C-alpha cells in the first residue's frame, strides 16, 4: 500500500491552503469564522475538506468528556489526511502543553492569545518551524478577552481597547448565523469550568453588534442567533443592564432580518422587561433558552445557582400569559454530588408541570478545576446512568406531548425555509423543510410544510400545525 500523500503532494500549486473544522457550540462557529476572516485576509485559500488542505485548523470543544473525546478523534482523523494539523479552541486553551505532549499528531496547539497572529502561526507550522505549545492559565485572573469589531469596512484597523477589527468569513451557506454578543462569564457555577478558560464577561458595544448584523444580512443571513456564555448579563460591564432590551428592537429593524433569537439565558437574570421585549417585538422570536439545570433547591444551592420550582414556574407563566406559543428549552444535570431520590422526584415534578418544548438531560461528571470536583457525596456512576435514562424517557414523553398540544389547537406557525423540494407523486405545490419560531437551529427539532405554492431559502412561510413526531412538526401551508 503506498504511503498517504503529504501536504506538498496535495497542494503543490497552492501550499497556503487551510481547512477549518469546527466542533462544539455556536460561539465556536463565530470564532472559526473570525479565524477564517483573518486567514483569508492574509492570503490563505480556504478549502472545505481537510484532505484538500495544507493545514487543517481544528477548533476544539473542551466542555464535557464526550466533547473532549470528539475533539481528539477529529484531530487524529485530520492527521490521517497527511495535512499539517493545528488545534485551537477550548480544549487547546484549557489543556495546552498537556494536549501537545499527549497528542504528537498535532503539529501545533494554540491558545486564544495566538488568534491575532494566526497567519504567522500557521506559516511557521507549514514551514516546519517549531511552535511553542500554549501554556494554560486561569483566565479569571487575567484581563478579559476583548471582543473584536467585525464591521465590513474595518479590516486591519486597530481600535484601542478592543483589539484588531476583523471581518468574519462565512464557512457555510445558510440563512441563519450566530452573532456573538459577549465573551466570558462571571458566574461561578460549581460544575462549570468555562470561566477558567474563557475569562471574565465582556460585552461588545451595541454599535459593533449592529454593524456585524448588517454584514451578515449582506451575506444572505435572515435569522440572527445572539450567543454568548451568558446573554442575560449583556451590558452589565458597560454600565447598563437594559442594553439588551434596547438592542433587540434595533437588530430587528436591520433591513433583511426576518428573525432575531436569543440563546443562553440565566433564569436568575431574566427581567420582566426582557420577557416583554422577547414576547412583543416584531421579528424577535418569543423563544426562551433557559438553563434551569435542576429544580431541587438544595441541589441548586450546591451548584451555586438560584431559583426554585415555584420561581421557575412563575417565570414560565409570565411568558405564556403574554405568548402562549412561546418556545422554551432547557438543560438539566442529574447525579450532581449529594443528589437524592427526593431531589430527582422534585425535578421530575417540575418538568411535568413546566411543559417545555425541548430538554437536554446530562449526567454529572467531575470536571477538573471546578468546585464540585472536590465535593463529597458523589453519586455512583451506575446510579447517574439510571437517572439519566429515566429522565430522558420522561422528557421525551413530555416534549412530544407539548408538540401534540400545538397540533391539537392547529397552532398558526411562521416557518423559516431552510430547504425546498418538489412534492412528487402528483401532490401539488412544494415541500418546505425549516423551523418554526419556537425551534432553534439544530437542537429543537424541525417543521415540514406541505402544499407551499412557492418559497425560497431564507423566506418565511405561514402554516398551521397538523401533525407531530416527537418534537418535530408537520404543517399545512396557510397563506
Amino acid at each position: 500500500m503506498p504511503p498517504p500523500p503529504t501536504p506538498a503532494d496535495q497542494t503543490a500549486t497552492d501550499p497556503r491552503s487551510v481547512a477549518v473544522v469546527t466542533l462544539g457550540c455556536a460561539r465556536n462557529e463565530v470564532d472559526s469564522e473570525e479565524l477564517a476572516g483573518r486567514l483569508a485576509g492574509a492570503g490563505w485559500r480556504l478549502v472545505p475538506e481537510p484532505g484538500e488542505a495544507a493545514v487543517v485548523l481544528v477548533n476544539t470543544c473542551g466542555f464535557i468528556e464526550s466533547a473532549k473525546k470528539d475533539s481528539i478523534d477529529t484531530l487524529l482523523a485530520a492527521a490521517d489526511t497527511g495535512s499539517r494539523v493545528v488545534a485551537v479552541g477550548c480544549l487547546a486553551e484549557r489543556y495546552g502543553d498537556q494536549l501537545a505532549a499527549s497528542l504528537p499528531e498535532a503539529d501545533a496547539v494554540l491558545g486564544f492569545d495566538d488568534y491575532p497572529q494566526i497567519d504567522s502561526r500557521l506559516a511557521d507550522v507549514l514551514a516546519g518551524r517549531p511552535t511553542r505549545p500554549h501554556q494554560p492559565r486561569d483566565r479569571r485572573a487575567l484581563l478579559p478577552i476583548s471582543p473584536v469589531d467585525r464591521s465590513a469596512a474595518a479590516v486591519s484597523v486597530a481600535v484601542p481597547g478592543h483589539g484588531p477589527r476583523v471581518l468574519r468569513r462565512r464557512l457555510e451557506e445558510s440563512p441563519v448565523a450566530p452573532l456573538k454578543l459577549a465573551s466570558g462569564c462571571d458566574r461561578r457555577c460549581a460544575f462549570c469550568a468555562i470561566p477558567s478558560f474563557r475569562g471574565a464577561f465582556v460585552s461588545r458595544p451595541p454599535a459593533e453588534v449592529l454593524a456585524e448584523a448588517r454584514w451578515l444580512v449582506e451575506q444572505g443571513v435572515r435569522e440572527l442567533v445572539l450567543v454568548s456564555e451568558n446573554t442575560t448579563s449583556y451590558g452589565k460591564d458597560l454600565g447598563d443592564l437594559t442594553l439588551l432590551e434596547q438592542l433587540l428592537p434595533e437588530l430587528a429593524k436591520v433591513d433583511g432580518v426576518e428573525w432575531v433569537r436569543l440563546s443562553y439565558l440565566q433564569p436568575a437574570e431574566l427581567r420582566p422587561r426582557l420577557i416583554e421585549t422577547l414576547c412583543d417585538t416584531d421579528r424577535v422570536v418569543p423563544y426562551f433558552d433557559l438553563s434551569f439545570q435542576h429544580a431541587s433547591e438544595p441541589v441548586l444551592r450546591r451548584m451555586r445557582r438560584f431559583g426554585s420550582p415555584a420561581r421557575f414556574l412563575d417565570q414560565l407563566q409570565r411568558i405564556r400569559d403574554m405568548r402562549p406559543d412561546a418556545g422554551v428549552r432547557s438543560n438539566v444535570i442529574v447525579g450532581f454530588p449529594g443528589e437524592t431520590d427526593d431531589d430527582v422526584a422534585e425535578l421530575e415534578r417540575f418538568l411535568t408541570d413546566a411543559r417545555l418544548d425541548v430538554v437536554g438531560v446530562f449526567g454529572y461528571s467531575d470536571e477538573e478545576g471546578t468546585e464540585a470536583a472536590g465535593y463529597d457525596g458523589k453519586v455512583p456512576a451506575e446510579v447517574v446512568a439510571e437517572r439519566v435514562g429515566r429522565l430522558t424517557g420522561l422528557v421525551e414523553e413530555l416534549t412530544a406531548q407539548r408538540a401534540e398540544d400545538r397540533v391539537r389547537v392547529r397552532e398558526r406557525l411562521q416557518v423559516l425555509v431552510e430547504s425546498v423540494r418538489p412534492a412528487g407523486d402528483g401532490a401539488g405545490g412544494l415541500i418546505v423543510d425549516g423551523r418554526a419560531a419556537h425551534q432553534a437551529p439544530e437542537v429543537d427539532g424541525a417543521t415540514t410544510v406541505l402544499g407551499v405554492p412557492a418559497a425560497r431559502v431564507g423566506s418565511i412561510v405561514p402554516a398551521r400545525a397538523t401533525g407531530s413526531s416527537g418534537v418535530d412538526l408537520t404543517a399545512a401551508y396557510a397563506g
Side-chain angles (χ1 to χ4, degrees), residues 254-276:
V254 172
D255 190 29
V257 168
E258 295 286 356
W259 283 350
V260 178
R261 185 184 303 274
L262 284 188
S263 59
Y264 309 110
L265 308 180
Q266 281 284 349
E269 298 177 1
L270 190 61
R271 306 171 290 278
R273 187 179 167 193
L274 179 56
I275 293 175
E276 293 171 7

mmCIF file of all heavy atoms in Angstrom, residues 254-276:
data_model
loop_
_atom_site.group_PDB
_atom_site.id
_atom_site.type_symbol
_atom_site.label_atom_id
_atom_site.label_comp_id
_atom_site.label_asym_id
_atom_site.label_seq_id
_atom_site.Cartn_x
_atom_site.Cartn_y
_atom_site.Cartn_z
ATOM 1 N N VAL A 254 -32.989 45.936 11.259
ATOM 2 C CA VAL A 254 -31.983 45.837 10.192
ATOM 3 C C VAL A 254 -32.651 45.282 8.946
ATOM 4 O O VAL A 254 -33.286 44.226 8.977
ATOM 5 C CB VAL A 254 -30.803 44.952 10.631
ATOM 6 C CG1 VAL A 254 -29.867 44.684 9.457
ATOM 7 C CG2 VAL A 254 -30.049 45.605 11.783
ATOM 8 N N ASP A 255 -32.509 46.000 7.856
ATOM 9 C CA ASP A 255 -33.175 45.613 6.617
ATOM 10 C C ASP A 255 -32.711 44.238 6.162
ATOM 11 O O ASP A 255 -31.515 44.004 5.983
ATOM 12 C CB ASP A 255 -32.872 46.652 5.533
ATOM 13 C CG ASP A 255 -33.715 46.440 4.288
ATOM 14 O OD1 ASP A 255 -34.832 45.928 4.421
ATOM 15 O OD2 ASP A 255 -33.234 46.786 3.186
ATOM 16 N N GLY A 256 -33.656 43.333 5.965
ATOM 17 C CA GLY A 256 -33.336 41.981 5.535
ATOM 18 C C GLY A 256 -33.432 40.941 6.631
ATOM 19 O O GLY A 256 -33.485 39.743 6.349
ATOM 20 N N VAL A 257 -33.461 41.365 7.906
ATOM 21 C CA VAL A 257 -33.580 40.419 9.013
ATOM 22 C C VAL A 257 -35.021 39.942 9.123
ATOM 23 O O VAL A 257 -35.958 40.739 9.137
ATOM 24 C CB VAL A 257 -33.132 41.062 10.345
ATOM 25 C CG1 VAL A 257 -33.538 40.198 11.535
ATOM 26 C CG2 VAL A 257 -31.626 41.284 10.346
ATOM 27 N N GLU A 258 -35.191 38.642 9.197
ATOM 28 C CA GLU A 258 -36.518 38.060 9.430
ATOM 29 C C GLU A 258 -36.732 37.729 10.897
ATOM 30 O O GLU A 258 -37.790 37.998 11.455
ATOM 31 C CB GLU A 258 -36.693 36.794 8.587
ATOM 32 C CG GLU A 258 -36.690 37.030 7.088
ATOM 33 C CD GLU A 258 -37.969 37.679 6.586
ATOM 34 O OE1 GLU A 258 -38.911 37.888 7.380
ATOM 35 O OE2 GLU A 258 -38.025 38.002 5.375
ATOM 36 N N TRP A 259 -35.717 37.125 11.518
ATOM 37 C CA TRP A 259 -35.829 36.726 12.921
ATOM 38 C C TRP A 259 -34.570 37.096 13.691
ATOM 39 O O TRP A 259 -33.453 37.011 13.172
ATOM 40 C CB TRP A 259 -36.000 35.213 13.045
ATOM 41 C CG TRP A 259 -37.365 34.681 12.727
ATOM 42 C CD1 TRP A 259 -38.515 35.385 12.514
ATOM 43 C CD2 TRP A 259 -37.710 33.298 12.599
ATOM 44 N NE1 TRP A 259 -39.551 34.522 12.252
ATOM 45 C CE2 TRP A 259 -39.099 33.249 12.307
ATOM 46 C CE3 TRP A 259 -37.010 32.110 12.718
ATOM 47 C CZ2 TRP A 259 -39.781 32.042 12.120
ATOM 48 C CZ3 TRP A 259 -37.674 30.910 12.523
ATOM 49 C CH2 TRP A 259 -39.046 30.880 12.234
ATOM 50 N N VAL A 260 -34.775 37.470 14.963
ATOM 51 C CA VAL A 260 -33.685 37.610 15.929
ATOM 52 C C VAL A 260 -34.013 36.670 17.089
ATOM 53 O O VAL A 260 -35.125 36.693 17.613
ATOM 54 C CB VAL A 260 -33.551 39.060 16.437
ATOM 55 C CG1 VAL A 260 -32.440 39.154 17.479
ATOM 56 C CG2 VAL A 260 -33.299 40.020 15.285
ATOM 57 N N ARG A 261 -33.044 35.863 17.470
ATOM 58 C CA ARG A 261 -33.268 34.853 18.508
ATOM 59 C C ARG A 261 -32.179 34.979 19.578
ATOM 60 O O ARG A 261 -31.001 35.139 19.254
ATOM 61 C CB ARG A 261 -33.219 33.454 17.883
ATOM 62 C CG ARG A 261 -33.554 32.308 18.846
ATOM 63 C CD ARG A 261 -33.385 30.956 18.164
ATOM 64 N NE ARG A 261 -34.206 30.828 16.966
ATOM 65 C CZ ARG A 261 -35.473 30.428 16.962
ATOM 66 N NH1 ARG A 261 -36.069 30.128 18.100
ATOM 67 N NH2 ARG A 261 -36.138 30.328 15.823
ATOM 68 N N LEU A 262 -32.580 34.865 20.833
ATOM 69 C CA LEU A 262 -31.620 34.853 21.929
ATOM 70 C C LEU A 262 -31.336 33.428 22.378
ATOM 71 O O LEU A 262 -32.213 32.565 22.351
ATOM 72 C CB LEU A 262 -32.157 35.624 23.141
ATOM 73 C CG LEU A 262 -32.163 37.144 23.108
ATOM 74 C CD1 LEU A 262 -32.541 37.685 24.483
ATOM 75 C CD2 LEU A 262 -30.823 37.698 22.690
ATOM 76 N N SER A 263 -30.114 33.183 22.838
ATOM 77 C CA SER A 263 -29.775 31.891 23.434
ATOM 78 C C SER A 263 -29.017 32.127 24.731
ATOM 79 O O SER A 263 -28.545 33.235 25.006
ATOM 80 C CB SER A 263 -28.923 31.061 22.467
ATOM 81 O OG SER A 263 -27.726 31.757 22.156
ATOM 82 N N TYR A 264 -28.921 31.072 25.550
ATOM 83 C CA TYR A 264 -28.146 31.084 26.793
ATOM 84 C C TYR A 264 -28.638 32.143 27.787
ATOM 85 O O TYR A 264 -27.919 33.084 28.115
ATOM 86 C CB TYR A 264 -26.652 31.269 26.502
ATOM 87 C CG TYR A 264 -26.099 30.316 25.484
ATOM 88 C CD1 TYR A 264 -25.716 30.761 24.224
ATOM 89 C CD2 TYR A 264 -25.995 28.961 25.755
ATOM 90 C CE1 TYR A 264 -25.226 29.875 23.274
ATOM 91 C CE2 TYR A 264 -25.508 28.077 24.809
ATOM 92 C CZ TYR A 264 -25.130 28.531 23.578
ATOM 93 O OH TYR A 264 -24.655 27.660 22.633
ATOM 94 N N LEU A 265 -29.850 31.983 28.274
ATOM 95 C CA LEU A 265 -30.434 32.914 29.246
ATOM 96 C C LEU A 265 -30.374 32.312 30.647
ATOM 97 O O LEU A 265 -30.699 31.146 30.846
ATOM 98 C CB LEU A 265 -31.895 33.218 28.889
ATOM 99 C CG LEU A 265 -32.174 33.686 27.458
ATOM 100 C CD1 LEU A 265 -33.669 33.935 27.275
ATOM 101 C CD2 LEU A 265 -31.383 34.951 27.145
ATOM 102 N N GLN A 266 -29.979 33.125 31.613
ATOM 103 C CA GLN A 266 -29.961 32.703 33.006
ATOM 104 C C GLN A 266 -31.314 33.007 33.640
ATOM 105 O O GLN A 266 -31.742 34.168 33.664
ATOM 106 C CB GLN A 266 -28.864 33.438 33.775
ATOM 107 C CG GLN A 266 -27.489 32.887 33.558
ATOM 108 C CD GLN A 266 -27.262 31.585 34.318
ATOM 109 O OE1 GLN A 266 -28.060 31.206 35.168
ATOM 110 N NE2 GLN A 266 -26.168 30.911 34.012
ATOM 111 N N PRO A 267 -32.018 32.020 34.195
ATOM 112 C CA PRO A 267 -33.311 32.299 34.827
ATOM 113 C C PRO A 267 -33.216 33.366 35.913
ATOM 114 O O PRO A 267 -34.132 34.189 36.055
ATOM 115 C CB PRO A 267 -33.718 30.937 35.406
ATOM 116 C CG PRO A 267 -33.015 29.931 34.559
ATOM 117 C CD PRO A 267 -31.705 30.571 34.185
ATOM 118 N N ALA A 268 -32.124 33.366 36.669
ATOM 119 C CA ALA A 268 -31.991 34.334 37.762
ATOM 120 C C ALA A 268 -31.853 35.765 37.257
ATOM 121 O O ALA A 268 -32.042 36.717 38.025
ATOM 122 C CB ALA A 268 -30.781 33.977 38.629
ATOM 123 N N GLU A 269 -31.525 35.943 35.980
ATOM 124 C CA GLU A 269 -31.326 37.280 35.424
ATOM 125 C C GLU A 269 -32.400 37.658 34.413
ATOM 126 O O GLU A 269 -32.274 38.675 33.727
ATOM 127 C CB GLU A 269 -29.944 37.353 34.758
ATOM 128 C CG GLU A 269 -28.786 37.123 35.715
ATOM 129 C CD GLU A 269 -27.444 37.139 35.012
ATOM 130 O OE1 GLU A 269 -27.400 37.341 33.790
ATOM 131 O OE2 GLU A 269 -26.420 36.931 35.692
ATOM 132 N N LEU A 270 -33.458 36.860 34.325
ATOM 133 C CA LEU A 270 -34.497 37.111 33.323
ATOM 134 C C LEU A 270 -35.451 38.180 33.848
ATOM 135 O O LEU A 270 -36.349 37.918 34.637
ATOM 136 C CB LEU A 270 -35.255 35.822 33.011
ATOM 137 C CG LEU A 270 -36.214 35.875 31.820
ATOM 138 C CD1 LEU A 270 -35.476 36.197 30.528
ATOM 139 C CD2 LEU A 270 -36.957 34.555 31.683
ATOM 140 N N ARG A 271 -35.256 39.396 33.390
ATOM 141 C CA ARG A 271 -36.001 40.555 33.880
ATOM 142 C C ARG A 271 -37.370 40.652 33.207
ATOM 143 O O ARG A 271 -37.514 40.290 32.036
ATOM 144 C CB ARG A 271 -35.197 41.824 33.595
ATOM 145 C CG ARG A 271 -33.783 41.775 34.152
ATOM 146 C CD ARG A 271 -32.943 42.937 33.681
ATOM 147 N NE ARG A 271 -32.606 42.878 32.264
ATOM 148 C CZ ARG A 271 -31.612 42.153 31.755
ATOM 149 N NH1 ARG A 271 -30.867 41.391 32.538
ATOM 150 N NH2 ARG A 271 -31.364 42.180 30.458
ATOM 151 N N PRO A 272 -38.379 41.177 33.929
ATOM 152 C CA PRO A 272 -39.710 41.324 33.323
ATOM 153 C C PRO A 272 -39.689 42.101 32.015
ATOM 154 O O PRO A 272 -40.391 41.745 31.063
ATOM 155 C CB PRO A 272 -40.507 42.053 34.406
ATOM 156 C CG PRO A 272 -39.854 41.634 35.684
ATOM 157 C CD PRO A 272 -38.386 41.531 35.358
ATOM 158 N N ARG A 273 -38.880 43.168 31.952
ATOM 159 C CA ARG A 273 -38.849 43.954 30.719
ATOM 160 C C ARG A 273 -38.239 43.167 29.566
ATOM 161 O O ARG A 273 -38.647 43.318 28.410
ATOM 162 C CB ARG A 273 -38.068 45.253 30.940
ATOM 163 C CG ARG A 273 -38.158 46.188 29.732
ATOM 164 C CD ARG A 273 -37.410 47.464 29.955
ATOM 165 N NE ARG A 273 -37.250 48.212 28.712
ATOM 166 C CZ ARG A 273 -36.431 49.249 28.562
ATOM 167 N NH1 ARG A 273 -35.726 49.690 29.580
ATOM 168 N NH2 ARG A 273 -36.329 49.859 27.396
ATOM 169 N N LEU A 274 -37.268 42.304 29.871
ATOM 170 C CA LEU A 274 -36.686 41.481 28.812
ATOM 171 C C LEU A 274 -37.716 40.471 28.307
ATOM 172 O O LEU A 274 -37.811 40.221 27.096
ATOM 173 C CB LEU A 274 -35.437 40.763 29.316
ATOM 174 C CG LEU A 274 -34.721 39.846 28.321
ATOM 175 C CD1 LEU A 274 -34.346 40.599 27.043
ATOM 176 C CD2 LEU A 274 -33.479 39.216 28.951
ATOM 177 N N ILE A 275 -38.486 39.888 29.221
ATOM 178 C CA ILE A 275 -39.558 38.986 28.798
ATOM 179 C C ILE A 275 -40.521 39.716 27.864
ATOM 180 O O ILE A 275 -40.907 39.199 26.807
ATOM 181 C CB ILE A 275 -40.312 38.429 30.024
ATOM 182 C CG1 ILE A 275 -39.405 37.514 30.849
ATOM 183 C CG2 ILE A 275 -41.566 37.660 29.577
ATOM 184 C CD1 ILE A 275 -40.036 37.012 32.132
ATOM 185 N N GLU A 276 -40.900 40.925 28.226
ATOM 186 C CA GLU A 276 -41.815 41.709 27.386
ATOM 187 C C GLU A 276 -41.208 41.979 26.018
ATOM 188 O O GLU A 276 -41.897 41.881 24.985
ATOM 189 C CB GLU A 276 -42.153 43.027 28.085
ATOM 190 C CG GLU A 276 -42.972 42.866 29.356
ATOM 191 C CD GLU A 276 -43.090 44.164 30.131
ATOM 192 O OE1 GLU A 276 -42.647 45.220 29.601
ATOM 193 O OE2 GLU A 276 -43.612 44.142 31.255
#
